């Protein structure tokens, strides 16, 4: 039944609400079957409409005994299969959107639950409540401000009110049925269609703007149409055509948005709990990966072509007439050297042996003197070097400095791409159990939580909940903002004797908005000692983190 309703909500939504009117006739026809009475007689006695199907006698055997005693029309169908099936569809779309925008199991589960319980069930419940409180009073038989008129019984029946003139009331269950059925085309357009067409509607050109905004117009307009058909099927409501008035507002907003406002790019991040640039980041990563694959394929093809052109073939080794593509073309012959009529092609094969060197004639003149040769050599050496030529580029020397890639790979959190900005120093220690360190978190004058810092030697603060020990949810805080570190420090007293102890230190991890100790901003990447009663703040957050170190006498008591 739920599959049939979903199919006809897209193809022919009137058939879905036509069956609701016939549902009112089922109890009486079921009574006729039990008593052995003719269904035609029952229809004439109780003034049932002539188009009520006589096959109801065969399809009403699953009704309970309470249907025999009901005398009031009931339009609400107590069948939750449509709600369960659409919730399952929302589960699948939530998983798909979560994998595409979040990437982790926790945010994906949260997005899926929000799709089911907030977007679908809660929104349908709110709209059903408003419809139950307003439509029955404004569009009912006694609605104020609207002229009373006789209308047809639903979409398909005869004129008049309820059966036998009795007054009928709007049911909350029926309002909820209409709301969840009107949500189905919205799910088709915004949760499935927008996901599939996201690469087309995310662009900055006008076609993407038109396609994305039209998708939202179709979704909300279809919602209004099904909402209207659901309440127009009730015979006791009047002026239900007023429910179509929001479509005029939707058309005006759609026309205004075509002048540069892309609705999907502004609503999709809010709908999926993603950052405003989350889609662009994932798409740019995909494009960079595709571009790297394309460049790698081009380099491999170029390398293969070079190997083919440089390697001579076996058939070309003994044939000098065949030349490689890289060899220069043969010199053209002079047009006057031979006539086309008298020229005969020589069939003499060229020899492969090299030509002999030309013979030189010996001169009978005396040899030049050695002094002249020495003078020419000395004058050539005494000439200044030619500095007009461009200097040769210096050869790049090898760089053995650390690149940081090995450290980044070592600091990467398992199964993620998050790189830790901080590692504990060698003098890291746990504080003694006899001296507790307490961290109180206040917002204004309210105490939010209390943390015992003796449990570990290092505490990381930031917005990255996967690695942060104490999450900071304020947007001005960095993902890895600051660290509280216990260190073993050796100091000299006034007598020059050395004494060591564990102390608490704060380190800012080069955050964007800084860390504050007692109202003063601390320098980044530098340990600052934290003492009893100090107040810490991260960025522009209003929360205050107070460190208290009770004296040993109070701990002993």
């Amino acid at each position: 039944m739920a599959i049939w309703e979903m199919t006809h909500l897209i193809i022919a939504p009137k058939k879905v609400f036509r069956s609701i009117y016939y549902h009112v006739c089922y109890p009486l026809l079921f009574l006729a079957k039990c008593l052995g009475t003719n269904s035609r007689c029952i229809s004439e006695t109780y003034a049932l409409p002539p188009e009520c199907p006589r096959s109801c006698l065969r399809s009403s055997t699953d009704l309970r005994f309470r249907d025999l005693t009901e005398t009031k029309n009931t339009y609400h169908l107590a069948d939750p299969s449509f709600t369960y099936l659409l919730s399952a569809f929302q589960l699948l779309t939530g998983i798909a959107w979560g994998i595409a925008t979040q990437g982790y199991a926790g945010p994906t589960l949260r997005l899926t639950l929000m799709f089911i319980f907030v977007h679908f069930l809660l929104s349908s419940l709110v709209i059903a409540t408003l419809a139950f409180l307003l439509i029955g009073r404004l569009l009912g038989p006694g609605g104020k401000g609207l002229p009373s008129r006789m209308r047809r019984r639903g979409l398909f029946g005869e004129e008049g009110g309820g059966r036998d003139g009795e007054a009928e009331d709007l049911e909350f269950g029926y309002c909820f049925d209409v709301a969840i059925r009107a949500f189905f085309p919205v799910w088709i357009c915004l949760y499935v269609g927008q996901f599939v067409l996201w690469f087309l509607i995310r662009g900055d050109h006008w076609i993407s703007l038109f396609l994305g905004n039209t998708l939202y117009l179709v979704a909300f307009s279809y919602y209004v149409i099904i909402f209207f058909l659901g309440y127009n099927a009730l015979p006791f409501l009047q002026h239900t055509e007023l429910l179509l008035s929001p479509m005029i507002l939707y058309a005006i907003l759609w026309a205004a948005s075509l002048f540069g406002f892309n609705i999907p790019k502004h609503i999709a991040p809010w709908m999926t709990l993603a950052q405003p640039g989350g889609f662009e980041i994932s798409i740019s990563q995909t494009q960079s990966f595709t571009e790297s694959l394309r460049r790698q394929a081009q380099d491999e093809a170029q390398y293969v072509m070079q190997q083919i052109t440089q390697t001579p073939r076996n058939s070309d080794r003994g044939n000098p007439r065949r030349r490689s593509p890289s060899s220069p073309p043969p010199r053209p012959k002079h047009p006057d050297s031979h006539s086309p009529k008298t020229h005969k092609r020589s069939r003499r094969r060229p020899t492969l042996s090299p030509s002999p060197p030309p013979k030189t004639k010996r001169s009978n003149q005396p040899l030049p003197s050695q002094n002249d040769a020495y003078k020419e050599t000395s004058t050539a050496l005494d000439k200044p070097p030619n500095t007009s030529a461009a200097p040769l580029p210096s050869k790049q020397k090898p760089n053995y400095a650390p690149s940081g890639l090995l450290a980044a790979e070592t600091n990467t959190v398992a199964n993620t791409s998050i790189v830790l900005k901080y590692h504990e120093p060698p003098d890291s220690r746990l504080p003694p159990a006899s001296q507790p360190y307490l961290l109180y978190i206040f917002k204004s004058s309210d105490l939010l939580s209390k943390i015992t810092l003796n449990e570990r030697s290092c505490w990381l603060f930031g917005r990255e909940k996967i690695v942060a020990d104490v999450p900071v949810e304020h947007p001005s805080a960095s993902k890895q903002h600051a660290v509280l570190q216990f260190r073993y420090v050796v100091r000299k007293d006034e007598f020059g004797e050395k004494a060591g102890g564990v102390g608490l230190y704060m380190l800012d991890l080069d955050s964007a908005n800084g860390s504050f100790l007692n109202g003063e901003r601390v320098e980044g990447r530098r340990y600052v000692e934290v003492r009893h009663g100090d107040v810490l703040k991260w960025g522009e957050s209003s929360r205050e983190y107070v460190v208290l170190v009770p004296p040993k006498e109070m701990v002993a008591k």
Side-chain angles (χ1 to χ4, degrees):
M1 184 64 180
I3 298 294
W4 181 88
E5 288 185 357
M6 289 182 177
T7 305
H8 285 77
L9 280 174
I10 302 300
I11 301 175
K14 285 185 178 181
K15 292 184 180 181
V16 178
F17 299 101
R18 188 195 302 267
S19 61
I20 293 176
Y21 180 73
Y22 291 150
H23 171 72
V24 181
C25 309
Y26 287 174
L28 293 176
L29 296 177
F30 182 73
L31 178 62
K33 181 180 179 181
C34 296
L35 300 178
T37 310
N38 189 2
S39 59
R40 181 177 180 182
C41 179
I42 291 295
S43 300
E44 295 176 355
T45 304
Y46 289 91
L48 297 182
E51 64 271 16
C52 185
R54 300 300 183 260
S55 59
C56 294
L57 292 172
R58 296 189 301 272
S59 61
S60 59
T61 55
D62 57 340
L63 297 178
R64 299 181 180 178
F65 178 75
R66 62 182 179 86
D67 294 333
L68 298 177
T69 59
E70 290 183 353
T71 59
K72 188 178 180 180
N73 292 346
T74 302
Y75 298 93
H76 166 57
L77 298 176
D79 184 11
S81 59
F82 190 94
T83 307
Y84 293 158
L85 187 58
L86 190 51
S87 299
F89 290 162
Q90 279 287 76
L91 174 65
L92 298 179
T93 52
I95 294 174
W97 277 99
I99 293 175
T101 59
Q102 307 295 334
Y104 301 105
T108 301
L109 178 60
R110 181 178 58 185
L111 179 63
T112 304
L113 296 178
M114 188 187 71
F115 273 16
I116 298 175
F117 293 101
V118 178
H119 291 191
F120 174 41
L121 295 179
L122 182 60
S123 63
S124 300
L125 186 63
V126 171
I127 294 176
T129 304
L130 295 176
F132 176 71
L133 297 177
L134 299 178
I135 293 179
R137 297 181 180 181
L138 297 178
L139 304 182
K144 297 181 179 180
L146 297 175
S148 178
R149 64 180 179 87
M150 298 296 289
R151 62 168 298 222
R152 297 182 63 85
R153 184 189 296 265
L155 284 173
F156 324 101
E158 57 189 6
E159 295 182 354
R163 187 176 67 247
D164 298 335
E166 67 178 39
E168 299 186 68
D169 296 329
L170 187 62
E171 302 171 284
F172 179 79
Y174 182 78
C175 297
F176 187 73
D177 290 342
V178 174
I180 62 175
R181 280 156 179 81
F183 187 83
F184 180 70
V186 176
W187 175 79
I188 291 287
C189 296
L190 302 186
Y191 291 85
V192 178
Q194 186 175 212
F195 181 81
V196 175
L197 302 176
W198 179 252
F199 286 93
L200 297 177
I201 64 180
R202 62 171 291 273
D204 296 330
H205 43 82
W206 192 83
I207 297 178
S208 300
L209 178 69
F210 177 79
L211 182 61
N213 294 0
T214 305
L215 189 65
Y216 275 77
L217 174 67
V218 171
F220 291 122
S221 300
Y222 218 118
Y223 187 94
V224 173
I225 291 173
I226 295 181
F227 195 79
F228 158 73
L229 292 176
Y231 290 99
N232 193 58
L234 300 180
F236 52 87
L237 294 182
Q238 303 174 2
H239 301 284
T240 53
E241 63 274 4
L242 295 176
L243 299 177
L244 296 173
S245 56
M247 295 184 62
I248 302 176
L249 178 62
Y250 294 159
I252 296 174
L253 295 177
W254 172 78
S257 66
L258 295 180
F259 290 94
F261 184 79
N262 196 326
I263 298 177
K265 292 181 67 174
H266 292 81
I267 295 183
W270 169 82
M271 186 179 71
T272 58
L273 298 179
Q275 297 180 358
F279 291 105
E280 283 71 12
I281 291 173
S282 60
I283 291 170
S284 62
Q285 291 176 354
T286 305
Q287 292 178 349
S288 62
F289 178 72
T290 307
E291 184 67 20
S292 63
L293 291 179
R294 187 180 63 84
R295 290 180 180 177
Q296 183 179 1
Q298 289 181 353
D299 295 341
E300 292 179 357
Q302 186 177 4
Y303 174 76
V304 172
M305 291 300 297
Q306 290 178 357
Q307 294 296 325
I308 293 174
T309 55
Q310 293 177 2
T311 304
R313 298 181 182 178
N314 295 331
S315 60
D316 298 342
R317 291 181 179 177
N319 191 357
R321 295 183 180 179
R322 304 192 63 174
R323 56 186 179 86
S324 63
S326 60
S327 62
R331 296 178 60 184
K333 296 181 179 180
H334 197 273
D336 298 336
S337 60
H338 295 283
S339 174
K341 297 181 181 180
T342 61
H343 173 69
K344 294 183 180 180
R345 182 177 180 182
S346 176
R347 295 186 179 182
R348 186 177 179 179
R349 299 183 64 181
T351 58
L352 299 180
S353 59
S355 60
K359 296 181 179 181
T360 58
K361 296 182 179 181
R362 294 185 62 181
S363 176
N364 295 326
Q365 297 179 359
L367 295 175
S369 62
Q370 296 182 357
N371 295 330
D372 296 339
Y374 178 75
K375 289 180 180 179
E376 293 178 359
T377 306
S378 60
T379 54
L381 294 175
D382 293 340
K383 290 182 180 180
N386 187 11
T387 59
S388 61
L392 297 176
S394 60
K395 186 178 180 180
Q396 185 177 4
K397 298 180 179 181
N399 184 11
Y400 299 103
S403 62
L405 298 178
L406 182 60
E409 184 177 358
T410 306
N411 297 345
T412 303
V413 182
N415 300 327
T416 62
S417 60
I418 301 174
V419 179
L420 292 176
K421 295 183 179 180
Y422 178 75
H423 256 293
E424 297 191 46
D427 56 359
S428 174
R429 299 288 188 279
L430 280 172
S434 59
Q435 187 66 41
Y437 285 79
L438 304 178
L439 181 66
Y440 292 86
I441 303 177
F442 291 90
K443 185 173 183 181
S444 297
S445 59
D446 299 332
L447 176 62
L448 301 181
S449 61
K450 170 186 173 184
I451 301 175
T452 303
L453 300 178
N454 294 59
E455 297 177 357
R456 59 183 69 182
S457 59
C458 174
W459 294 82
L460 178 60
F461 296 79
R463 288 191 296 108
E464 195 72 58
K465 296 184 179 181
I466 299 178
V467 296
D469 301 318
V470 182
V472 181
E473 299 179 355
H474 199 272
S476 64
S478 302
K479 293 183 178 180
Q480 301 179 38
H481 195 97
V483 168
L484 287 180
Q485 176 70 56
F486 286 100
R487 301 174 58 200
Y488 182 81
V489 181
V490 179
R491 296 188 178 91
K492 290 184 180 181
D493 57 6
E494 56 184 359
F495 301 104
E497 296 181 357
K498 295 182 178 180
V502 178
L504 182 61
Y505 292 84
M506 180 181 70
L507 178 68
D508 182 78
L509 301 177
D510 293 333
S511 60
N513 296 310
S515 303
F516 298 87
L517 176 64
N518 296 328
E520 297 182 359
R521 183 166 182 170
V522 299
E523 185 178 354
R525 293 291 180 179
R526 185 173 182 179
Y527 285 106
V528 180
E529 186 178 4
V530 180
R531 299 178 180 177
H532 173 72
D534 287 346
V535 180
L536 312 177
K537 292 185 69 176
W538 317 122
E540 299 178 0
S541 176
S542 60
R543 297 189 180 186
E544 297 180 347
Y545 300 79
V546 182
V547 178
L548 296 180
V549 185
K552 296 183 179 180
E553 294 79 7
M554 295 182 61
V555 175
K557 292 181 180 180

